[in-house]
């Protein structure tokens, strides 16, 4: 269980950081420079929370608490 949560969270954070690097290379970050830090931190926080929620849901499906 513990390793499942860690792998899920690390995978989601890897994808979130990859997306932020893509945005930076694409130039999206330079257009709205003043809001870039806020946007990036909010994206990373939401990815973290989504990974926790998704892995918890998958765990509940695995132990058959949710049909």
């Amino acid at each position: 269980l513990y390793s499942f949560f860690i792998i899920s969270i690390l995978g989601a954070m890897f994808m979130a950081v990859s997306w932020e690097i893509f945005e930076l290379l694409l130039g999206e970050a330079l257009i709205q420079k003043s809001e870039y830090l806020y946007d990036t931190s909010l994206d990373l926080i939401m990815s973290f929370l989504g990974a926790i929620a998704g892995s918890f849901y998958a765990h509940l499906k695995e132990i058959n608490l949710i049909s």
Side-chain angles (χ1 to χ4, degrees), residues 1-8:
L1 172 66
Y2 180 72
S3 62
F4 180 74
F5 284 128
I6 296 298
I7 291 171
S8 299

Side-chain angles (χ1 to χ4, degrees), residues 11-57:
M13 294 309 292
F14 175 76
M15 292 303 295
V17 169
S18 299
W19 177 255
E20 293 302 322
I21 291 171
F22 174 72
E23 278 186 348
L24 186 63
L25 294 176
L26 191 63
E28 288 289 319
L30 301 177
I31 295 172
Q32 300 174 356
K33 200 174 211 177
S34 61
E35 295 180 4
Y36 178 68
L37 185 60
Y38 175 74
D39 177 59
T40 299
S41 61
L42 189 62
D43 286 347
L44 293 176
I45 290 169
M46 289 300 159
S47 294
F48 180 74
L49 294 175
I52 290 174
S55 59
F56 185 68
Y57 177 76

